[in-house]
Amino acid sequence: MFRTKSVEQSILDTEEPEHALKKSLSALDLTVFGVGVIIGTGIFVLTGKVAKETAGPATAIAFVVAGVVCALAALCYAEFASTVPVAGSAYTFSYASLGELVAWIIGWDLVLEFALGTAVVAVGWSGYVRSLMDNVDWTMPEALSGPDAAEGFGFDLLAFVLVLILTVILVIGMKLSARVTSVVVAIKVGVVLMVIIAGLFFIKAENYKPFIPPSEKQAAGSGWDAPMVQLIFGYEPTNFGAMGIFTAASIVFFAFIGFDVVATAAEETKLPQRDMPRGILGSLIICTVLYVAVSIVVTGMQHYSELSVSAPLADAFKATGHPFYAGLISFGAAVGLTTVCMILLLGQTRVFFAMSRDGLLPRFFSRTHPRFKTPYRPTILLGVVIAVIAGFTSIDELATLVNIGTLFAFVVVALGVLVLRRTRPDLPRAFRTPWVPVLPIASVAASVWLMLNLPVETWVRFAGWMALGVLIYFVYGRSHSRLGREGHT
């Protein structure tokens, strides 16, 4: 269960013709992928909710706190991605350092994270598109607008079709995916910059008072709604005040989810030792700066107590008498979410592909397309499954599973850096995580703290998914593992 797959063997597996991915990505492509997946639902929605209910204008600080947690993990990811440039991200890193069972658990976790993330974003995209259609008096039938919009049977046709189209793009090739992403990211970042620049002219200084609103005791959660930290330590999170910033950080963390997807493309990068750290850290820095700037502008345009929860950016411009900007923001959000959906789907297929190549999932899924050199079988399978989930399921409550899954991956990667430094100090490392062991330990502590601020119900669902994964490992994965069959330890 704790046998490890050597870094040398992992790299050797990528050279098998039938199981090799095409190397076509540069540092710029990786940075664009990172920005493309990070800037999504979070910046267009969470800013208003957190400012109004938890942190006020200090939401900007909450974004910085969440960004720091991600930066700690990003430095650990960068070392692994440059040392083990193989598809699979945290799954592959864990296999090389912590052993097969831990690798399986984290791979199973990533499958859940990316699947739910893709479906959630696809449903969100569908909502923005329907809103734009309403503006020009085009209305989707209720039965085809999703479970939330229909009184009886509901199927979200737009979300379903989006996932299928993105599946086709990913099958055709990574370079095409990169080109599509570059165009869409340019539009999305342009909209965000427009919000920042235009919003500067409508800021009123009095809206920042008080910058950190005085604390008010949050109503104690009951049963499943209580945060895990409350159950363990008896600590009740607060709204507003200095501690409210940390509560807000655990919420806005969702806005950063996705930078780790960059690491799943390591095997398809031309110079991974140089470009992976640049892509991971570059995209994270760019997005953190944009998030902080947007939150400062929006809370300056409109008092935090009056911000909209559903569409804060657009409604803030409406409140100042500029509906044109509101429409432009909705368009940018709809266009931008397509890249988030595509890159999350890309990440999941690469993890699934890597697990299949190692025999922990059926090897049928580890063959690449003879022409496009993409993992077309898992891409088609997962694309269809996620399209159906997005079409039939209202999964707002399951979105927190994406948060806990990502944070769990952060913890495992940070621990993996410590273990691999001790077990394989001889490995060439193009990028080295600074201040080891202090920084990885800080990354673990920060990630665990945010996990504890999530509801108990989320922990129960996460534990159930992990238990199912462990069962599948012992029933199938352990006996079909290539390492086990080849006698490796």
Side-chain angles (χ1 to χ4, degrees), residues 74-88:
L75 290 167
C76 298
Y77 268 90
E79 174 169 326
F80 260 128
S82 62
T83 306
V84 194
V86 178

Side-chain angles (χ1 to χ4, degrees), residues 25 27 29-35 37-38 77 81 89 114 258-267 269 275-281 283 343 346-347:
L25 301 178
D29 291 328
L30 294 173
T31 302
V32 169
F33 270 134
V35 174
V37 73
I38 296 172
Y77 268 90
S89 184
F114 293 147
F259 84 85
D260 55 321
V261 178
V262 176
T264 66
E267 192 175 326
T269 304
D275 292 342
M276 288 306 302
R278 293 181 180 181
I280 292 172
L281 296 171
S283 57
I343 299 168
L346 179 150

Side-chain angles (χ1 to χ4, degrees), residues 418-447:
L418 293 175
V419 172
L420 203 62
R421 282 284 187 98
R422 179 173 291 273
T423 58
R424 292 297 307 275
D426 58 305
L427 278 177
R429 291 169 168 85
F431 178 88
R432 297 177 68 87
T433 302
W435 308 308
V436 173
V438 175
L439 190 145
I441 292 173
S443 178
V444 171
S447 298

Side-chain angles (χ1 to χ4, degrees), residues 13-224:
D13 286 348
T14 68
E15 298 172 0
E16 297 177 1
E18 292 181 341
H19 308 286
L21 298 173
K22 185 178 181 180
K23 298 181 182 295
S24 59
L25 301 178
S26 65
L28 178 60
D29 291 328
L30 294 173
T31 302
V32 169
F33 270 134
V35 174
V37 73
I38 296 172
I39 297 182
T41 308
I43 197 169
F44 292 112
V45 177
L46 287 181
T47 306
K49 176 180 177 62
V50 171
K52 187 171 185 175
E53 301 176 0
T54 312
T59 296
I61 302 177
F63 273 117
V64 172
V65 172
V68 168
V69 174
C70 290
L72 293 173
L75 290 167
C76 298
Y77 268 90
E79 174 169 326
F80 260 128
S82 62
T83 306
V84 194
V86 178
S89 184
Y91 159 76
T92 300
F93 307 158
S94 302
Y95 215 159
S97 57
L98 301 173
E100 186 172 276
L101 178 59
V102 177
W104 165 266
I105 290 173
I106 197 64
W108 188 245
D109 164 56
L110 291 174
V111 167
L112 173 72
E113 173 195 337
F114 293 147
L116 290 183
T118 305
V120 167
V121 174
V123 172
W125 174 88
S126 174
Y128 274 111
V129 172
R130 289 198 305 272
S131 176
L132 288 171
M133 292 170 65
D134 290 341
N135 290 340
V136 292
D137 296 326
W138 292 355
T139 304
M140 291 280 294
E142 280 193 0
L144 298 178
S145 298
D148 291 334
E151 294 182 3
F153 170 83
F155 179 76
D156 196 329
L157 178 64
L158 292 176
F160 176 80
V161 171
L162 172 68
V163 176
L164 292 184
I165 291 174
L166 296 179
T167 299
V168 173
I169 292 175
L170 289 176
V171 167
I172 292 175
M174 282 292 286
K175 200 60 186 177
L176 174 61
S177 305
R179 288 169 181 164
V180 171
T181 302
S182 297
V183 173
V184 176
V185 168
I187 296 173
K188 181 162 56 175
V189 172
V191 170
V192 173
L193 291 175
M194 180 273 295
V195 171
I196 296 170
I197 295 170
L200 288 173
F201 295 96
F202 309 121
I203 288 176
K204 296 180 180 178
E206 58 266 26
N207 287 334
Y208 290 129
K209 299 176 182 179
F211 190 77
I212 302 179
S215 170
E216 64 179 48
K217 202 67 174 178
Q218 183 175 335
S222 59
W224 298 122

